[in-house]
Amino acid sequence: MAEKLIGTDIAPQDLVAKITGRARYAEDFRADGMVFTKLLLSPMPHARVRGVDATRALAMPGVIDILRADEVRQVEGRPAEASLTDEPLYEGQPILAIAAETEEQAAAAIEAIEVDFEPLPFVLDPLDSLRPNGPNAYTGGNRFGGGEFSELKWTDADFEEIEAGRMPNGEAAVEWTKGDIDAAFSESDLVLEESIVHQSLTHHPMEPRSSMMYWENGKLHAFVSTQSAQRTKYAIAGMLNIDPEDVILVAEYCGGGFGSKISGNTHMEVPAVFSRKIGRPVMLRITRYEENYIGRARPGFQSWLKMGFMADGTCNAIDLYIVQESGPFGAGDFNTAGMIADLVYTPQNMRFRGIAMYCNTPPKAAQRGPGGAQIVIMMEPILEKAARELGLDRLEVHLKNAPDADVGFGPRNSTLTSVFAKEALEKGAEIFDWAGKQELSGRREGSKVTGIGIGLSPYTAGSRGYDGLMVIRPDGKLYVHQGLGNLGTHSIMDTARPAAEILNLNWDQVELVWGDSSRGMPRSSVQAGSQTTHAHSRANHAAGMDARAKVLEVAARTLGGSPSDYDMDNGRVFRRGGGASMTFAQVAERAIELGGKYDGHELPDNIHATTVPAANILAGQGLMGVARDNYGGSGGVYTWVAGFALVELDEETGVVDIKEYVGVTDCGTVLHPRSLSAQVLGGSVQGMGQAMTQRWVFDPKWGVPFANRLYTARPPGILDVPLDMKADAVGIPDPQTPVGAKGIGEPPVGAGGAAVTSAVADALGGRCLCRTPLTPDIILAELEGLDKPFHLEQHIG
Amino acid sequence: MAEAESAGLLETKYSRRKFIKSVIAVGATASSAGYFIGSSGLGAQAVPGTVERLITLTVNGQQRRVDVLPNETLAMTLRYRLNLTGTKLGCDRAECGACTVLIDGVNQYGCSMLTHQVRGSSITTIEGLENPDTGELSLVQQAVLEEGGFQCAFCAPGFIMSMTAMVNENPNPTRAEAAHALSGNLCRCGDYDKILNCAMRAAELARSV
Ligand code: FES
Ligand code: FES
């Protein structure tokens, strides 16, 4: 019997390459005659380029050429990012590029360029933009709708409310309600109201977004760092307005993206266009400093939250207003935050209002658990306070409010395929020993106080309808073609397991083909929003079933009888009860002889148009399994993570030491336990950084960020997290998907962050600091009774 | 001997052309002519190209002759002149450890030392860990493979070099000591728990040989 693959630990096939230095990331590729390009970044948060004098630069040794904004794609008249611009909207936005024989020469030339900038008004804090007579991020205004810019300002009265720490009533861009919040609040036994600031924070994947490109025989060879390979090929083709089949995308490894490289990135255009212009391969090596600016960030919130509770802990009403810092080009987090608040606490009566404001800050993009991570990190301390005031246990309060599978949430009463949040809470509480740890809560040793906390975090974790593509070749092996990106979640490997199991193959009979579009990539989901495990375990399941049916048919056509007379194991198809058999190698040869659908010369008509060229590359090479995921299903696919943390807060220094952490997930069937744990804990660690350390500071006078490197807005290091962390899974399959597996990437971030903010609130005796990140100065300010300003850009004045 | 040779002497011994030929003959590829790191691209003063010198480095047990600028960092020499791209650049500025290499057995940031500083030292990169004769993985690499270490693995070469230094110095660390030994390396995927499992397993393997 072939081995069981789903649910076992198998080292990913690419691990040896990764640990020997042979794995090639974008900046590791070289090409003959390769030159370097360097970007000139705007020194101002908002400006207009009046003139550029590059005469001196272009005469410098080694300098080849300059690339200006008018040579790249520009979308006029609406907030849209271009790779180079003459109207920078944030400090660090690329203005132009220089190519030279060496990077040193390109950098020297950049310094020799004279740019005449006209400084324009800028805004860093969305509330400043809403203030009467406040500055706008764009010259045309601060809001965009119906094809034009306009101005939206709140009133002085709104700002009086804000100054008094109360929820304002200024015009919102989005508003929805369910139930009757006023009636509900009047029935609540406890109503808590807080104003909360959650800062923006940079994604900072370890690998900056470097890329190298060249053109050969009219085709673009693009070596990039991207989360999603197949979709990035099309993104590049769209960006350059060329035939997608003229893009050879090479993206074998990606050193992290976390939402910042979903289908590549805007600035890939620079080496592509520059290389076409000068006829040489061009390397754009992005430094960490540049990454800080162009590398995307999670949007910050200024918000007001009112929650009503009944004496038994039931949350009966939520009123939430979020003002979002959207950077120059917008982001959607705030909408999701409203949905997630409703989903976690199921209040039945809710009002959500939100407005996203353009700001002259680095561009925003989805960052792992976009919107969801922010809101649970913000809300969990309030739950701590409520439980304390009601004399209840936080676990009980969560269990009381967490939804079941029949939940309907958000403005459209959205439904889910499955929910095992309570099971995750219970299992986590058991591993963490929540009951036993109660007595540690508030324990004091010298200046250190212990706190414990819970973070419950759901997020979308799946999509449907993508294609699977695989070939059994005459060497007898199954080649699973993946159009996904290889960014370290291992799902690019693990989602092939269902197909291997369907064909009863051992793992060493399976080869993964990925990272090079010329080898054939089926239509794939973007590797974002934790879709992949769900989407592609289904797609590969479907294609695996197709391959299985064809193997049986080939056997019957060759050896007689009907397909149902046959079975397969370990690379051999045989007649049940003994008799004739064929190896998969023979099956592959025979499939090629038979042609038609067997070897991919005839394709199913329901596969996506962009799978067809990939399948055409592979036609005739063996027995092809190709199919669209038609398994269907209704409702959103959500994964849950319940995080539990124990912290020690030093009241003298304001430093918080995270001592213990447990994360338990409801993610359906577990494909690969060790990688799952890594996702749960790694995501939780990112949440800890979001909640505790990664702070942005701007100079409000000039609008430039001070915290623009890793050490100034530091993600957690190995000493910042517990020495031993534990992860586990509920392990109940999702009933609506054949493999039962849901994704995992997003929700641990909120769980890790919220468990810690909740534990800090506990250590402080139920005080909500309502600021993120909880850096020592914030904690000390709270302990000393100082004001915490409501700014996004400074965090503390 | 290499460090004693002045660039001038070398230049008389080897014409540049001959040198390039010999480099190609030994299979090394210096993919770009000259290279400089140091410009942030914004505000920083880029020093225009100064004169390259031909020096000899001992990398992964081999003598490598290479043209180097006075202000060139070791990480750049390794990546762009010797094509040893396993050493990664995550920050260029001593913040992340992705560029960690061993200099005479000590883990150091390759981005933050000049190549000229390490003439005469023995440099080990991630590419030099496998047994050159058998291709067998080093104990640390073996441990990482067993534990399924790392996610995106962009940090992996740096961590593996630090783990290598750690097991040589202290093959019997506590988990806390291992964390301390690895604290100069950042993993943005937050894979620390598994990384510590790898380090502890590596130490265990080191003790058993
Ligand atoms: S690249 Fe050297 S420490 Fe980051
Ligand atoms: S595994 Fe991605 S940075 Fe460490």
Side-chain angles (χ1 to χ4, degrees), chain A residues 27 38 41 202-210 255-256 258 260-261 285-296 694 707-713 715, chain B residues 37 39-40 89-96 98 154 186 188:
Chain A
E27 199 214 317
K38 201 79 190 144
L41 307 186
T202 313
H203 290 62
H204 276 317
M206 274 301 275
E207 181 202 13
R209 56 207 57 236
S210 301
F258 317 121
S260 72
K261 302 174 182 167
R285 188 180 81 85
I286 296 297
T287 65
R288 177 58 51 190
Y289 185 73
E290 291 158 344
E291 180 73 15
N292 171 74
Y293 293 103
I294 68 173
R296 312 296 103 166
Q694 285 179 264
N708 51 18
R709 301 196 61 101
L710 291 172
Y711 80 97
T712 43
Chain B
I37 155 63
S39 171
S40 60
L89 284 169
C91 73
D92 314 287
R93 294 282 172 89
E95 299 178 68
C96 77
F154 199 73
L186 200 65
R188 186 63 179 119

Side-chain angles (χ1 to χ4, degrees), chain A residues 206 255-256 258 487, chain B residues 150-156 159 186-191 195:
Chain A
M206 274 301 275
F258 317 121
L487 74 163
Chain B
F150 299 101
Q151 295 179 31
C152 79
F154 199 73
C155 68
F159 266 103
L186 200 65
C187 173
R188 186 63 179 119
C189 298
D191 207 32
I195 288 171

Side-chain angles (χ1 to χ4, degrees), chain A residues 548-772:
Chain A
R548 183 180 171 93
K550 287 172 181 165
V551 169
L552 297 175
E553 284 173 37
V554 168
R557 286 180 65 155
T558 313
L559 305 171
S562 79
S564 60
D565 297 335
Y566 290 85
D567 200 353
M568 61 189 71
D569 192 27
N570 215 353
R572 182 172 279 276
V573 53
F574 51 83
R575 215 171 173 124
R576 286 175 216 271
S581 73
M582 289 170 87
T583 63
F584 273 23
Q586 290 164 329
V587 170
E589 301 276 12
R590 184 77 176 111
I592 295 169
E593 268 169 43
L594 291 169
K597 67 175 183 179
Y598 295 107
D599 72 348
H601 276 107
E602 269 167 38
L603 298 170
D605 2 299
N606 64 351
I607 57 170
H608 194 270
T610 65
T611 299
V612 174
N616 288 342
I617 294 174
L618 302 173
Q621 299 191 6
L623 183 139
M624 183 180 290
V626 55
R628 180 174 188 267
D629 155 19
N630 271 334
Y631 294 114
S634 65
V637 184
Y638 270 59
T639 280
W640 293 74
V641 175
F644 293 79
L646 182 143
V647 305
E648 261 177 27
L649 184 152
D650 189 329
E651 291 190 340
E652 237 157 54
T653 60
V655 169
V656 173
D657 196 359
I658 307 167
K659 305 294 263 189
E660 292 180 33
Y661 183 75
V662 172
V664 173
T665 177
D666 156 33
C667 64
T669 303
V670 177
L671 292 182
H672 184 173
R674 197 161 54 193
S675 290
L676 177 79
S677 295
Q679 287 303 305
V680 171
L681 298 179
S684 298
V685 164
Q686 290 189 339
M688 293 171 196
Q690 177 173 339
M692 304 307 295
T693 62
Q694 285 179 264
R695 173 163 118 173
W696 270 19
V697 181
F698 279 80
D699 172 346
K701 184 165 161 58
W702 302 106
V704 300
F706 288 143
N708 51 18
R709 301 196 61 101
L710 291 172
Y711 80 97
T712 43
R714 195 162 187 270
I718 201 166
L719 301 176
D720 300 324
V721 302
L723 273 181
D724 258 310
M725 297 186 274
K726 293 191 181 68
D728 211 331
V730 171
I732 306 173
D734 183 282
Q736 289 201 29
T737 187
V739 185
K742 303 188 278 189
I744 180 59
E746 323 291 314
V749 180
V756 172
T757 53
S758 165
V760 169
D762 183 43
L764 289 169
R767 271 187 282 180
C768 304
L769 293 190
C770 297
R771 297 291 182 276
T772 307

Side-chain angles (χ1 to χ4, degrees), chain B residues 4 20 47 65 72 75-76 80-81 83 93 98 111 115-116 122 132 134 136 148 151 158 173:
Chain B
I20 290 172
V47 184
R65 287 167 197 262
E72 185 167 313
M76 279 300 173
Y80 283 95
R81 306 228 191 228
N83 209 24
R93 294 282 172 89
C111 73
T115 307
H116 281 274
S122 159
T134 63
E136 221 181 308
Q151 295 179 31

Side-chain angles (χ1 to χ4, degrees), chain A residues 526-538:
Chain A
V526 285
Q527 181 129 344
S530 310
Q531 297 176 66
T532 313
T533 292
H534 180 266
H536 286 275
S537 63
R538 292 164 64 103

